[in-house]
Every structure is written in C-alpha cells, then in structure tokens.
Amino acid sequence: MIPPLKDFSKNPAQKNQYIVQNLNDTLENTFSTPSKYSDADCGLRETVPNRKMVDSQDLGSDTESQAKTSKKDAKAIRTKQDNRKYNYALRETAAKILPDQRVRLCGCCRVDATKNVGVRHNGIKGKNGKAKITNVISCKSIWTCIVCGSRMLAERGEEVSKGVAAWVDAGGEALMLTTTHSHTRKDEPKATLNLISKARTFFWGHRNVKEVLDQVGYVGHIKALETTYGSDNGWHPHNHDVLFVSQSIEDLKSHEVAVTFEDDGFIRYVTPFREKQLIKKKLDGDIQFVSLEVFLKHFWIKACAHVGLGLPSVERGLTLQGASKLKNYLTKLTDVSKLGQELTNTSAKSGKVGRRNQWQILNDAKEGCAHSSKLFETYARAFKGERQLFWSSGLKELLDVAEVDDSKLLEEEEPDTTVDIAEITPDVWQLIKRYKAQAHILTAVENDFNNGCTDEYNSVLQRLIAHNQRRIDREQIEYEQYLSELIPDKFLDST
C-alpha cells in the first residue's frame, strides 16, 4: 500500500524521503537463508553498535564441534532445533489470527523496556545444550501458544506423573477414565463446554456416584480437557480423568453395584434403604448387579441427558482403563520434545484419523487455509479461560505435590554453567522480529557453543542487516520510479 502524499510544496526535497520512511513492509515473512546470501556477497552495510558478544575463549577450549559429536546426538540437536523453529512459526500464525490476545506479544515484546534483549546459553554441550532469549514476554497461553503451552503442559504433566507414582508406591491404583458425548457440526464449542461443565458437576457431585466410588476407596481425580475437530461432526471437546482409588485392579473388576433401570432407560443406584423398599413391594427382582464401569457408563449418559448434552453410546460415552493406557497418556503429556513435530503429528497428542487437534488446525492455517484460520479463532475464543488440568480438592496435598501458579510455571532454575552470550540492542532486535529470526538466532548460538566460536551468530546478524539494506535500496528505487511517474515532468525540469 502506498502511503498518502503530504504537502511538500515548501520543501520538495523531503518528499522522496517521507515516502521511503513510511512504506509498509512487503517482505515481512522473507528471511534470507545462508545458501542464498553468503557472507561473501552480503557486504555488511551497517554496524551493530554496543553489541556485547562473549569472547569465543570464554566458551571453553574443550568445546566439541558438531562434526565431532555422535550421529545420534547431532540428529537429536537438529530435531530439537527444527521443532523449535516450527513451533515459533505456529506461534507467529496464532498471533496474526488473534491480534487482541497475549500470544501476539509472546517472544517479541520486552518485559523491561529500559533493558536490552539478551541471549543466554545453559553452558551444556551437545544435545542437552539450550539457548534462550531473555527479557521477552512469555504469554503463558496454554490454549493458543504452542511454545508456552507445550512447556506448561509438560510441567503439569510432571506433577501428574509424580502424583500417580506416589499413590501407586503407597499401594493404591490409578485408572484412566475418559468421558465424551455425541456432537454435530452445528454445535458451538463454547456452549458445548458449558454443557460439559454442568454434566460433570452433576456426575461427580451426585450422591449415588460418590457412594459407589467410596466403596472402591476413591480419594480424588485429575481432569484433563482436550478437543479435536472433524469435518463430519465438528468440535469434540472431551475429558480424561486420572482416578485414584485404594482397591487393586483385581478387586475393581470383581466389584458389583446394585442398580435398577427405570422406564426411561436410565440407571438408578440401589441404596440399602431403597433395597428394603423394593423387597417390601416385592420388586426385588428388578435389582441387577453390574460392574463399576457399567454403572459409571450409564450414569454418565444420565448426566448428559440431565443437562441437554448430546447422548453418547454406552460403549463409547465413558471408558475406564488401567495403568498401561494411563502410562502412555502421561508420557505424551510430559514429553515436551514431541509437542511440535511433523505436519502429520503436530503434537504428541494428535487427533484420530479424520480429526485435527488445535495445533494441526493452526498448521493448516499457517499453510494458507482460511477456513482453518477461522476454526482456530473460534476454538481460541471458546477455550479462553478454561482450565486444561484440574485437581480435585485436597488431592495435591494428599499426594505431596506442591501448588505452583501458572505465572511461575515457566520460571526455571538456571545451572551454574549458564553463559550470557550476547546483548541485542533495540535496533537489531527490531530486525530480528521483523524477519521472524528468533529461532535462527537460538540455533546459531547453540551451534556456536558446540563449535567454540561466534561465527554463525555473527553471520545471521550480518545477513539480516544486509538483507534489510537491500530491501530499503530496492524499495527506494521503486518509489523513485513511482514519484517520477506521479510528478509532472515540468516540476522535475531543472532548467
């Protein structure tokens, strides 16, 4: 878009300068790669003032180069760096879709505007080495930012794993309970979430469910909320609950619950008092004995019907699974390295065939799908404020798991080996943000640390500056041509 022309009749010399200085960035997503712009042809156009670089000798003389690391370690390093670059690209896409949410600030805006952005390395060589950018905002948006969300989910997953381990070591049993419902493309995700919340309140708060769970030594549960989207049936929010009970799995399988089925087909728990009433009315023949899982299945259907949520099937509405399924799920929660991978597996917890989770939808939006962009915006606004992981009251204290607020969850203790690599001045940081080069900077620092130098980091900065200067030169020529066509020749005649 060409900026509007001002009145330069009093000072025509400023006309060209004004247009060039106010032009829009048409190359925002362009970043020169090393293969296209080598250090030889860059021709550094400007210097970086006051940039404090750590001397390569400070990195240690025994630093191994990547060429000397094992093939396995080198592959692990490349995979980690590629995943980070991919996740940063997804975050940029989310920021464009949601310009009014905190994700647009993540990794870009400074926490303290009076201080420069910094680059730091944990001082560990090889695959465990990690660089990070300091004095930048972390949005802590678990639903919309894959960079913050994956780290937060991994930390929360560690808490769940710790709690499960403590309970199992004490002789208890941990089960995985999954609840779902029927849904259609017409269902609005926000309205569905409200109905799910009401159904869960009815289910977990009903005295019949409490009495039955007390019989198997229930002490609490942890809820995890997830969603997928399918072209046939729309949004599918669902919950996984880690159920903590004292009975062994063998006792649970043999545990029976006395129930009756009403005329409307819904289940009803038979308490000792009601059993006496049925016997008195000679209706004790209506009493049936079902397993714990069957009772919970039917009661979940009853909860859905009570609040108007789509009725699920008996087979799929609620499932109760043992330790192996729970272990697999916890592994997916805690393995942060798998939360941004190939396009077919955008996160470790990918949707089933024909379905996409939120990160797969965001990936399609990144690739230019307008429908996926709209879907992600709908999802983000519906899930904003929802809790992804929830512990029932008193469970963390029982399992000796510390309470950590989300605001402090991403604060990590740095090892004594941590090294401050560079301090980036605001003008250079603006270039890094402009060309979305944060991931390139971190990769360069990690590679340099393994190689004991600052060659790649310096090269990235030089390419950024040179590429930006070429852009300015090119656009200045374009606007000079524009001006020559716009201004009549008689005004350009010097005679």
Side-chain angles (χ1 to χ4, degrees):
M1 178 179 177
I2 298 173
L5 290 176
K6 291 185 177 182
D7 182 11
F8 291 101
S9 57
K10 295 182 180 180
N11 193 352
Q14 291 183 353
K15 190 171 187 178
N16 182 59
Q17 181 181 4
Y18 166 78
I19 295 178
V20 172
Q21 289 180 345
N22 289 275
L23 55 88
N24 291 322
D25 179 22
T26 58
L27 301 174
E28 185 177 40
N29 295 319
T30 303
F31 176 71
S32 57
T33 60
S35 59
K36 187 174 181 180
Y37 300 110
S38 65
D39 294 336
D41 63 14
C42 270
L44 185 59
R45 305 291 182 96
E46 54 187 278
T47 59
V48 184
N50 301 322
R51 177 160 49 82
K52 299 179 180 179
M53 291 293 298
V54 65
D55 190 87
S56 60
Q57 295 178 354
D58 294 338
L59 299 177
S61 58
D62 61 341
T63 305
E64 295 180 355
S65 67
Q66 270 196 340
K68 295 181 180 179
T69 59
S70 67
K71 291 184 178 180
K72 184 177 180 181
D73 284 356
K75 183 178 180 181
I77 293 171
R78 286 194 299 271
T79 300
K80 180 184 69 173
Q81 293 172 347
D82 290 344
N83 287 346
R84 178 174 58 206
K85 182 180 177 181
Y86 177 71
N87 287 351
Y88 277 31
L90 287 184
R91 181 177 64 184
E92 290 290 343
T93 305
K96 292 178 181 178
I97 296 173
L98 305 167
D100 59 338
Q101 296 194 17
R102 277 182 60 85
V103 67
R104 70 181 177 86
L105 307 175
C106 191
C108 293
C109 295
R110 287 179 289 174
V111 176
D112 187 345
T114 64
K115 297 180 180 179
N116 288 336
V117 171
V119 183
R120 189 172 293 170
H121 195 281
N122 64 3
I124 301 174
K125 295 173 286 187
K127 64 180 181 180
N128 293 322
K130 181 181 179 182
K132 73 174 184 178
I133 299 174
T134 61
N135 193 33
V136 291
I137 290 176
S138 295
C139 66
K140 302 179 178 66
S141 304
I142 198 166
W143 295 114
T144 57
C145 178
I146 192 172
V147 177
C148 293
S150 60
R151 290 175 57 196
M152 293 175 69
L153 187 58
E155 293 292 333
R156 293 302 187 196
E158 291 290 350
E159 293 178 355
V160 176
S161 296
K162 180 181 177 182
V164 170
W167 182 248
V168 172
D169 290 345
E173 193 74 41
L175 307 173
M176 184 170 173
L177 184 148
T178 302
T179 52
T180 184
H181 63 281
S182 63
H183 51 97
T184 67
R185 291 189 64 182
K186 296 180 181 180
D187 296 341
E188 291 292 333
K190 188 64 177 179
T192 301
L193 287 171
N194 291 334
L195 291 177
I196 291 175
S197 178
K198 292 178 180 179
R200 287 181 60 84
T201 300
F202 179 88
F203 180 83
W204 292 104
H206 201 283
R207 64 177 182 272
N208 288 170
V209 174
K210 290 181 177 180
E211 288 180 21
V212 171
L213 290 178
D214 283 345
Q215 295 172 13
V216 296
Y218 165 80
V219 297
H221 67 276
I222 305 172
K223 180 205 77 171
L225 174 62
E226 295 180 351
T227 191
T228 57
Y229 179 86
S231 56
D232 293 334
N233 296 315
W235 292 103
H236 179 216
H238 55 281
N239 289 281
H240 300 288
D241 291 89
V242 182
L243 208 62
F244 295 85
V245 297
S246 59
Q247 283 194 9
S248 66
I249 190 68
E250 290 77 14
D251 293 336
L252 286 171
K253 289 179 179 179
S254 61
H255 186 83
E256 292 185 332
V257 182
V259 300
T260 59
F261 287 91
E262 303 299 298
D263 293 338
D264 55 9
F266 293 121
I267 202 168
R268 185 176 180 184
Y269 173 58
V270 178
T271 63
F273 175 76
R274 184 161 177 263
E275 184 180 10
K276 292 179 181 179
Q277 288 183 321
L278 291 174
I279 292 174
K280 186 176 180 179
K281 295 178 181 179
K282 297 183 179 180
L283 297 175
D284 51 309
D286 293 342
I287 300 176
Q288 300 181 35
F289 291 92
V290 298
S291 67
L292 173 67
E293 183 176 8
V294 170
F295 169 78
L296 295 176
K297 281 176 176 289
H298 282 276
F299 212 94
W300 173 246
I301 296 175
K302 186 175 182 178
C304 292
H306 180 76
V307 302
L309 189 62
L311 296 183
S313 65
V314 175
E315 179 184 359
R316 297 184 179 182
L318 182 148
T319 58
L320 191 62
Q321 296 168 298
S324 60
K325 181 68 174 180
L326 176 60
K327 182 179 180 181
N328 292 337
Y329 185 74
L330 292 177
T331 300
K332 293 174 181 177
L333 283 182
T334 56
D335 194 349
V336 67
S337 67
K338 294 182 180 178
L339 285 171
Q341 298 181 346
E342 296 84 2
L343 302 186
T344 56
N345 184 24
T346 312
S347 74
K349 187 65 175 65
S350 299
K352 293 182 179 179
V353 176
R355 292 186 171 276
R356 295 178 292 167
N357 61 28
Q358 68 269 37
W359 308 129
Q360 292 169 320
I361 292 172
L362 185 59
N363 174 75
D364 291 341
K366 179 175 73 71
E367 298 299 319
C369 177
H371 178 60
S372 295
S373 295
K374 186 64 178 177
L375 284 178
F376 188 81
E377 182 181 5
T378 300
Y379 147 82
R381 303 198 184 284
F383 277 77
K384 185 177 181 180
E386 295 287 336
R387 298 181 67 178
Q388 187 170 37
L389 283 175
F390 169 78
W391 294 59
S392 58
S393 179
L395 185 60
K396 278 193 173 182
E397 183 179 359
L398 175 66
L399 300 177
D400 194 27
V401 176
E403 190 74 45
V404 181
D405 189 73
D406 281 349
S407 61
K408 298 182 179 180
L409 197 62
L410 296 183
E411 296 178 2
E412 53 184 351
E413 294 184 5
E414 296 181 342
D416 296 335
T417 55
T418 299
V419 179
D420 287 323
I421 301 296
E423 188 173 300
I424 304 174
T425 53
D427 54 343
V428 177
W429 179 241
Q430 288 298 323
L431 281 183
I432 293 172
K433 291 194 300 179
R434 183 189 190 104
Y435 295 109
K436 313 295 187 294
Q438 291 95 325
H440 295 273
I441 291 293
L442 294 176
T443 295
V445 169
E446 289 169 353
N447 292 344
D448 282 345
F449 194 89
N450 286 332
N451 295 329
C453 64
T454 58
D455 295 345
E456 188 169 338
Y457 176 78
N458 288 332
S459 177
V460 170
L461 292 184
Q462 289 174 7
R463 290 198 302 274
L464 279 172
I465 295 170
H467 178 74
N468 189 62
Q469 186 60 50
R470 282 193 293 272
R471 177 188 63 81
I472 293 174
D473 294 343
R474 181 174 61 253
E475 292 182 344
Q476 184 172 354
I477 293 173
E478 292 174 356
Y479 276 93
E480 286 176 350
Q481 293 174 349
Y482 160 73
L483 286 175
S484 66
E485 297 173 357
L486 182 66
I487 302 175
D489 293 340
K490 65 179 180 178
F491 292 108
L492 299 176
D493 190 2
S494 58
T495 59

